[in-house]
Amino acid sequence: MAIDPTRFCINRKIAPRLSLEAFFQLVQRLGLSKVELRNDMPGGRVSDGLSAERLRALTDKYHIDIVTINALYPFNLIDDDLLTRAEALLQEAQRIGARALVMCPLNEGISISPQQTVAAMQQLAPRFAHYGIQGLVEPLGFPVSSLRSAVQAQQLIAEAAVPFKLVLDTFHHHLYEQAEQEFPLGIEVEQIGLVHLSGVEDLRPTAELTD
């Protein structure tokens, strides 16, 4: 069964050298309207330095809907710097009309306990609620990631009793060795807020793949 084209959202990483306006033009030429913006572009800023008013003018001009910003990192290692960056990203999301903010776990080979991740979610959730932004937790499948499993991520969201949803990335799903065993029995499809459709062709072993 074909997916309704209006459900597709184009990640800005597909054409990282384009200006925001050129990216919006590309999305419009494809007959689509939804985008995911990022804060890890060459300029390091979601809006490339454009004011919120200018960005909103461009989204109006090209009929673009900003679904989400990617990403708050590392969301499960709470400190003053993380909270400051979370506040800034949430404010920007609200200003530019983005509906959600992706949250990525620590991905540096340092263990973060499930209890720490739950506590981080509970500390962040009121801030998301204050700005009216949906939180989307994206487990990363790399061996060095502190949260690899989509099923575990959903379980921790439920334990934290927060209204966050899951980002299911097909690349990261593939990287996590137990994904195929866990997924059919443990995933709650209605709690998936966004799917990243990723494709990789590489001759290296799966465990060696990076971004």
Side-chain angles (χ1 to χ4, degrees):
M1 182 174 66
I3 300 174
D4 182 346
T6 63
R7 298 185 65 187
F8 279 102
C9 173
I10 302 300
N11 191 313
R12 196 178 175 200
K13 275 286 188 178
I14 70 163
R17 295 185 182 277
L18 292 183
S19 68
L20 267 174
E21 182 166 14
F23 174 62
F24 291 164
Q25 290 171 338
L26 171 63
V27 173
Q28 186 182 64
R29 289 200 303 273
L30 292 171
L32 303 173
S33 62
K34 295 180 173 65
V35 301
E36 178 173 53
L37 299 186
R38 306 183 66 104
N39 63 346
D40 60 350
M41 304 301 291
R45 302 175 69 179
V46 173
S47 60
D48 292 356
L50 298 178
S51 67
E53 293 74 18
R54 176 57 181 158
L55 183 52
R56 279 183 172 270
L58 290 175
T59 59
D60 289 344
K61 179 179 180 179
Y62 297 106
H63 308 290
I64 295 295
D65 178 16
I66 302 173
V67 172
T68 184
I69 294 171
N70 191 335
L72 176 64
Y73 173 85
F75 84 88
N76 57 346
L77 188 62
I78 294 284
D79 59 17
D80 289 342
D81 175 65
L82 185 282
L83 292 175
T84 297
R85 288 187 289 109
E87 195 79 14
L89 278 169
L90 289 166
Q91 289 175 359
E92 183 161 22
Q94 185 184 66
R95 286 196 301 267
I96 67 175
R99 289 187 266 146
L101 174 61
V102 173
M103 308 156 63
C104 292
L106 186 66
N107 186 48
E108 299 176 19
I110 300 171
S111 178
I112 300 290
S113 72
Q115 292 74 25
Q116 286 176 282
T117 298
V118 166
M121 292 181 187
Q122 291 172 333
Q123 193 166 351
L124 288 167
R127 290 172 166 81
F128 278 76
H130 175 76
Y131 291 102
I133 303 299
Q134 173 70 61
L136 299 173
V137 177
E138 180 177 6
L140 303 179
F142 301 119
V144 296
S145 172
S146 62
L147 180 58
R148 304 184 67 199
S149 164
V151 170
Q152 184 188 26
Q154 281 197 341
Q155 291 170 344
L156 296 180
I157 290 169
E159 184 178 337
V162 295
F164 295 154
K165 292 192 173 184
L166 181 74
V167 176
L168 180 66
D169 187 300
T170 58
F171 174 56
H172 290 289
H173 179 81
H174 173 70
L175 292 179
Y176 174 53
E177 300 85 357
Q178 302 303 315
E180 295 305 316
Q181 290 72 40
E182 293 181 3
F183 192 84
L185 299 177
I187 207 72
E188 296 182 36
V189 174
E190 67 275 8
Q191 292 302 313
I192 298 174
L194 185 70
V195 176
H196 281 164
L197 298 174
S198 306
V200 176
E201 293 184 4
D202 198 299
L203 298 178
R204 290 175 296 169
T206 298
E208 295 181 9
L209 297 179
T210 68
D211 275 338

